[in-house]
Amino acid sequence: MTRKQASQYQRLSSLIGTQPTSNEYCFTAVVVGSGYGASVMAARLSPFFPNGQLVVLERGQEYQPGDFPKYLKQAVRELKTPIAPLGLFDFKLTSDLDVLVANGLGGGSLINAGVVLAPAPSVFEQKSEGKPVWPRRLTASQLTPFYRQVRQMLAVEKYYDHHDVTVVRRHDPQLEGSWLFGKEPKAHTCTSYTLTDFRGQTIYQRSPLAKGQLFRHTVKSWAAHHQRRSWVAKAPIAVNLTQHHGSLNAQGIRQFKCNLCGDCVTGCNRGAKNSLTMNYLPLAKARGAEIFSQVEVTHIRPSDQPDYRYLIQATSRYLENNQLKQKKLVIYCNLLVLGAGVLGTQQILLRSAATNYMRFSQRLGKNLSGNADAITFTTAHKAFSGSVGSGQQHYTNYDTGPTITHIAQFFDPPEQHFILEEGAFPSPLLSLLHNLSRSPHSAWHAKSPLNHSLVWLAMGKDEAKGQLSWRGNSFHINWQHAGQQQIYQDIQQVLQQLANQQQAHVRNNPRAVSLLGSQSAVPITVHPLGGCNMADDITHGVTDDCGRVYNPDGGVYPGLYIADGSLIPSSLGVNPLLTITALAERASYFIIRHDLPNLFPQHTQITNKIATAQPATTKPYRQATQSSA
């Protein structure tokens, strides 16, 4: 992405609190955070409030294509630390569980691979001590219509190549709702609309990606040799592969087709990944929401002003004379949505509870899950993998592809099934990785050790027994023996067998022996879940099935909601973005129709809009209403 291209992107956010006299603000509705759940809430609720009366508060900076790191030095500067609170990569090392999340407008969508997968229906049927883990009113079938809506908004595609010509599935359920659904055969037939990539190639002309081929061959060979049940398929991803090339998307944002550079997880400088800054957030802004970045919420409590329900304490950060300044803010509102991410939302609630202004369920901070995430590398493959990303430099004569294009699922034993996905080495990290490999060849060379390696990303079902606590004016993640769970042993065993099948070597997460002194394995997760679990009652969770926060004095806090991955009461075994976003779509639907009229009975503008509101897709919403009745 050139700076000329980058300049085509207008900023969605502005700063607040930069004026010397302003430190107190009043709004009707506030959404804290800008990840998948928060962005949905902002987009869906904003039409029901006057312009500028629903605001989004994001603690990180705004990033647009061209702003993301391209080199190691830039990536290091983007590490979030106490002295660099606006860094993109928020990496927390603890003695029990390491966590990597994003810090920026768009949340995790900025640095994920955009894999849009629904969990198995059995996830919603889990029981613990004979009681349902998930709220009884929430089932896989009830989320189906909202999955469709999310796929539409995220414009989900799959990377098809000429090997797929005979197997492309019409009406692929993993694409249902996306613009591509039902058009899959047009990817390879002579029609009036032929799908082409950034080179203008059709599926007939498009070559398979080397890392995808090696991944597929390795898994299938292993399954045949060990007579194990598994399948390999193309991954549904929120990446613009064949639709827009310099044209405006459905939200009026200019996008370019993916150039297969492999840098999805350090930020897309191409403008091809369908991050939240390409869809839900611009939709919210177009509908009247005001978006403020670099504002970190620390506490909430009941308002001391009679016209407002909640008081928010926050810190605004901004540059002045090349120095980072901080300013304390007080914000009043009547509707408050916490979508600051799994760790962020829990930290706000735990801090607030410590002040004794508000009380929450005793389950707050409990049942934290790492989604059984694991990352492993296999090296010394005889075959070329093409796993090294090129970024926007185009040093290579091969295509890396989007970070993830394939999924493999394993079913033996059934209770421990998990998935594997192939990854890529993003170009900003190459100088570090190449130095570690000690190769005389450049990182992009066909003989580079990195180009004969595979990145394996695993997800499964862990025990969700982590706990986030507030002690000594700081936060702690506690999960004794987290890395010794059976699921990690099963994943490791399969990965070792996969490597042996190809006469390759396994390189595990170096935190298998903790840097902090513990001799037990320390898992790393990029998909933390839970801690503010939804449940049927306050005894078992922090919120109900729509994210309404339970009040220990009875009922729920009026106008207080949670909308992020902290609601999810168990691991999902797949990338969680689709579930988080669909839960927020469902919650916003019921909040608009059931809660807003009661929260704002005197606001005729709001009630009139609710009365005339029409769902975006009538049939799915009708199904959802019936199933939740």
Side-chain angles (χ1 to χ4, degrees):
M1 171 71 61
T2 65
R3 280 296 170 186
K4 183 177 179 181
Q5 288 174 316
S7 68
Q8 298 178 23
Y9 294 87
Q10 294 184 352
R11 298 284 151 174
L12 297 171
S13 69
S14 56
L15 303 182
I16 188 173
T18 58
Q19 299 301 318
T21 58
S22 58
N23 70 334
E24 187 173 297
Y25 298 86
C26 299
F27 302 103
T28 306
V30 172
V31 177
V32 179
S34 61
Y36 286 102
S39 294
V40 168
M41 286 294 197
R44 299 307 178 201
L45 298 180
S46 53
F48 301 95
F49 299 96
N51 285 353
Q53 281 301 300
L54 183 148
V55 300
V56 176
L57 305 179
E58 165 55 47
R59 68 174 184 169
Q61 302 180 77
E62 178 174 352
Y63 295 84
Q64 290 289 352
D67 295 337
F68 295 102
K70 303 174 183 67
Y71 307 102
L72 181 61
K73 187 175 181 179
Q74 295 172 335
V76 170
R77 285 202 296 262
E78 290 292 350
L79 287 172
K80 182 178 182 293
T81 66
I83 62 172
L86 299 179
L88 174 61
F89 305 106
D90 188 0
F91 192 22
K92 301 183 186 301
L93 293 174
T94 79
S95 59
D96 293 333
L97 180 69
D98 296 339
V99 182
L100 173 62
V101 293
N103 181 45
L105 186 67
S109 72
L110 299 177
I111 61 170
N112 68 6
V115 178
V116 186
L117 278 176
S122 59
V123 167
F124 301 95
E125 300 166 1
Q126 297 177 80
K127 292 188 176 182
S128 176
E129 299 179 354
K131 297 181 180 179
V133 172
W134 290 73
R136 288 180 174 86
R137 290 197 299 176
L138 194 58
T139 63
S141 60
Q142 207 213 357
L143 280 180
T144 298
F146 300 104
Y147 289 153
R148 290 197 287 265
Q149 189 158 346
V150 174
R151 294 188 190 104
Q152 178 186 14
M153 284 295 297
L154 299 184
V156 178
E157 297 192 48
K158 291 186 176 184
Y159 180 85
Y160 293 129
D161 57 63
H162 67 72
H163 282 184
D164 298 311
V165 166
T166 59
V167 296
V168 170
R169 182 178 181 182
R170 184 179 177 87
H171 295 115
D172 183 343
Q174 291 185 332
L175 297 175
E176 187 175 4
S178 169
W179 68 272
L180 189 58
F181 183 67
K183 298 183 177 70
E184 298 94 333
K186 293 186 179 181
H188 64 277
T189 56
C190 296
T191 66
S192 58
Y193 180 53
T194 303
L195 303 180
T196 58
D197 63 14
F198 76 109
R199 292 194 179 96
Q201 294 179 330
T202 66
I203 187 173
Y204 276 122
Q205 301 163 319
R206 201 173 303 140
S207 299
L209 300 171
K211 67 183 177 70
Q213 277 189 301
L214 182 55
F215 177 88
R216 177 184 290 269
H217 172 72
T218 301
V219 172
K220 287 195 168 185
S221 299
W222 169 87
H225 179 78
H226 292 274
Q227 297 183 333
R228 299 283 292 274
R229 292 189 304 137
S230 65
W231 59 257
V232 184
K234 289 293 178 68
I237 52 178
V239 176
N240 174 43
L241 296 165
T242 60
Q243 190 177 23
H244 302 287
H245 197 52
S247 58
L248 303 182
N249 68 13
Q251 309 309 327
I253 307 298
R254 192 173 305 280
Q255 285 195 266
F256 295 84
K257 292 179 182 178
C258 175
N259 65 350
L260 312 179
C261 74
D263 278 3
C264 302
V265 297
T266 48
C268 180
N269 282 313
R270 174 77 170 172
K273 191 167 72 166
N274 296 325
S275 302
L276 293 167
T277 51
M278 297 289 175
N279 36 72
Y280 281 104
L281 287 171
L283 177 61
K285 188 175 180 66
R287 289 177 166 180
E290 190 78 28
I291 302 174
F292 296 115
S293 55
Q294 301 176 202
V295 181
E296 183 171 9
V297 171
T298 56
H299 299 76
I300 63 170
R301 64 181 177 89
S303 172
D304 55 9
Q305 299 291 330
D307 293 334
Y308 294 94
R309 290 188 178 92
Y310 298 105
L311 181 154
I312 301 167
Q313 294 175 290
T315 300
S316 173
R317 296 184 173 96
Y318 55 93
L319 283 176
E320 186 177 278
N321 299 324
N322 290 324
Q323 289 189 330
L324 187 65
K325 302 289 187 178
Q326 295 191 159
K327 186 175 184 179
K328 301 295 184 182
L329 305 180
V330 173
I331 301 170
Y332 293 95
C333 68
N334 277 311
L335 185 149
L336 175 56
V337 179
L338 298 179
V342 170
L343 301 184
T345 291
Q346 290 179 76
Q347 289 172 2
I348 292 169
L349 293 180
L350 287 167
R351 280 196 209 99
S352 302
T355 65
N356 295 319
Y357 281 111
M358 298 184 78
R359 296 189 303 125
F360 305 101
S361 166
Q362 293 296 314
R363 302 304 302 171
L364 175 61
K366 298 178 181 178
N367 295 107
L368 190 68
S369 167
N371 207 35
D373 282 3
I375 180 169
T376 295
F377 309 96
T378 53
T379 63
H381 287 270
K382 293 180 180 179
F384 174 74
S385 67
S387 296
V388 176
S390 61
Q392 301 304 301
Q393 309 306 317
H394 302 295
Y395 292 136
T396 66
N397 58 2
Y398 61 87
D399 292 325
T400 306
T403 295
I404 294 173
T405 59
H406 283 75
I407 313 161
Q409 187 161 3
F410 301 85
F411 303 98
D412 295 321
E415 68 277 6
Q416 290 289 346
H417 73 261
F418 58 90
I419 68 169
L420 293 176
E421 298 166 347
E422 105 280 20
F425 299 107
S427 64
L429 305 184
L430 286 185
S431 59
L432 172 64
L433 296 170
H434 182 58
N435 288 339
L436 293 175
S437 73
R438 299 179 180 178
S439 170
H441 304 288
S442 77
W444 296 277
H445 195 279
K447 293 184 179 180
S448 163
L450 297 177
N451 266 329
H452 287 264
S453 302
L454 275 179
V455 181
W456 299 84
L457 308 167
M459 277 151 275
K461 296 179 181 177
D462 62 25
E463 297 169 359
K465 291 184 177 179
Q467 180 171 349
L468 185 67
S469 59
W470 171 256
R471 300 195 311 271
N473 209 32
S474 62
F475 290 96
H476 302 267
I477 295 176
N478 305 105
W479 191 348
Q480 193 173 18
H481 308 306
Q484 296 180 12
Q485 296 173 81
Q486 185 63 43
I487 182 63
Y488 292 113
Q489 298 177 36
D490 293 341
I491 291 171
Q492 183 56 40
Q493 181 184 44
V494 169
L495 287 169
Q496 186 63 60
Q497 292 172 353
L498 288 165
N500 294 343
Q501 189 74 22
Q502 297 295 311
Q503 298 180 331
H505 306 298
V506 174
R507 297 289 182 263
N508 289 314
N509 171 12
R511 291 275 285 160
V513 176
S514 173
L515 299 176
L516 302 181
S518 169
Q519 293 305 304
S520 61
V522 180
I524 181 172
T525 182
V526 294
H527 301 130
L529 300 169
C532 297
N533 298 356
M534 54 171 57
D536 290 322
D537 55 63
I538 193 171
T539 304
H540 297 94
V542 178
T543 79
D544 70 3
D545 60 297
C546 286
R548 303 179 184 99
V549 179
Y550 288 126
N551 185 340
D553 293 330
V556 297
Y557 285 103
L560 179 60
Y561 305 90
I562 295 175
D564 54 34
S566 66
L567 292 174
I568 295 175
S570 71
S571 54
L572 297 174
V574 297
N575 310 68
L577 80 82
L578 178 58
T579 307
I580 295 170
T581 317
L583 286 171
E585 288 279 14
R586 175 184 178 274
S588 67
Y589 174 79
F590 291 113
I591 290 168
I592 290 167
R593 283 150 182 82
H594 297 163
D595 295 17
L596 292 190
N598 297 320
L599 292 170
F600 303 99
Q602 305 304 319
H603 290 232
T604 56
Q605 181 178 354
I606 294 175
T607 54
N608 288 341
K609 285 185 176 181
I610 295 168
T612 58
Q614 294 295 322
T617 44
T618 305
K619 184 177 179 181
Y621 279 118
R622 186 182 300 119
Q623 291 172 343
T625 305
Q626 291 169 348
S627 58
S628 66

